């Protein structure tokens, strides 16, 4: 019977570990005992240099989730995979997690992927920071961030026009922090 196990891997090598386990299982004829190997990630949208950039972020760095029919062969296949330090469990012995816990981790992954990307946007400026307007009618103006609206992906910037501070509402990618 297949159960979920958590494999501890070197941080940053989770995807390579996943691919290697699946490749080794196929090579050794153990595909039927290795049902699934997952790296829990979420999509994150950031603003970098005025551009929206979407990337994957691991929300359990250093861990890989695998549904395995544990046997000596499968144990040694996983344990001998490069960049794997062992299983999560007492004294490094594999201890299965419940189906409900695995479902929670995997559903968290799907919920985060399905969530509105606007809630995942990260900007490199905050309220009170000096920013430069990149495009639009106020291009090349400098101002101070007054408000951030993540739901609408908008920022309110106080720009000095004719010596008078004027609030201007812009898209996140229309401004960048002045360093």
């Amino acid at each position: 019977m297949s159960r979920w196990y958590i494999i501890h891997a070197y941080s940053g090598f989770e995807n390579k570990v996943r691919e290697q386990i699946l490749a080794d299982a196929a090579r050794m004829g153990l595909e039927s005992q290795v049902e699934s190997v997952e790296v829990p990630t979420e999509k994150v949208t950031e603003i970098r240099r005025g551009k929206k950039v979407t990337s994957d972020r691991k929300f359990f760095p250093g861990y890989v989730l695998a549904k395995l029919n544990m046997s000596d062969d499968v144990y040694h296949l996983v344990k001998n995979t490069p960049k794997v330090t062992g299983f999560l469990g007492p004294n490094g012995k594999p201890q299965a997690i419940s189906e409900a816990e695995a479902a929670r981790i995997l559903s968290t992954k799907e919920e985060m992927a399905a969530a509105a990307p606007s809630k995942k946007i990260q900007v490199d400026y905050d309220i009170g920071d000096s920013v430069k307007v990149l495009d639009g009618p106020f291009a090349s103006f400098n101002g101070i961030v007054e408000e951030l609206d993540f739901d609408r992906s908008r920022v309110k910037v106080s720009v000095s026009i004719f010596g008078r501070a004027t609030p201007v509402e812009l898209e996140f990618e229309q401004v960048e922090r002045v360093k």
Side-chain angles (χ1 to χ4, degrees):
M1 180 176 108
S2 294
R3 304 215 28 215
W4 287 99
Y5 296 90
I6 297 178
I7 300 166
H8 190 266
Y10 289 7
S11 189
F13 290 92
E14 297 90 347
N15 289 322
K16 288 186 181 184
V17 165
R18 176 187 178 280
E19 291 166 13
Q20 190 66 47
I21 289 171
L22 292 172
D24 287 350
R27 185 177 49 80
M28 297 171 70
L30 297 172
E31 301 105 323
S32 62
Q33 294 184 28
V34 179
E35 260 184 56
S36 178
V37 182
E38 301 287 334
V39 178
T41 59
E42 65 177 327
K43 291 248 185 262
V44 177
T45 304
E46 297 177 302
I47 306 295
R48 290 190 200 143
R49 296 188 189 142
K51 304 260 189 277
K52 276 188 184 179
V53 179
T54 303
S55 60
D56 285 334
R57 183 180 73 83
K58 295 172 184 78
F59 60 86
F60 288 132
Y63 294 98
V64 179
L65 204 63
K67 189 166 189 174
L68 308 169
N69 187 356
M70 190 57 73
S71 66
D72 286 344
D73 291 336
V74 173
Y75 174 81
H76 290 295
L77 165 102
V78 172
K79 191 76 171 127
N80 294 330
T81 301
K83 311 291 187 216
V84 168
T85 58
F87 286 91
L88 199 64
N91 301 324
K93 293 197 169 46
Q95 181 169 358
I97 61 171
S98 69
E99 196 72 37
E101 191 170 357
R104 183 183 58 77
I105 292 169
L106 294 173
S107 70
T108 301
K109 175 183 171 183
E110 279 136 29
E111 285 168 14
M112 288 181 174
S118 63
K119 290 186 173 43
K120 300 263 183 294
I121 292 179
Q122 296 177 347
V123 291
D124 65 346
Y125 46 84
D126 207 350
I127 294 172
D129 287 348
S130 294
V131 292
K132 179 179 180 181
V133 180
L134 299 174
D135 69 345
F138 300 100
S140 78
F141 278 77
N142 285 351
I144 306 290
V145 176
E146 289 184 345
E147 213 175 284
L148 294 169
D149 185 352
F150 288 96
D151 293 331
R152 295 176 41 228
S153 297
R154 310 278 290 174
V155 59
K156 189 180 279 186
V157 178
S158 177
V159 179
S160 178
I161 302 174
F162 303 121
R164 178 176 249 179
T166 307
V168 178
E169 194 169 293
L170 302 162
E171 299 283 330
F172 280 158
E173 56 270 2
Q174 286 181 287
V175 298
E176 76 176 356
R177 191 169 96 197
V178 177
K179 292 175 172 66

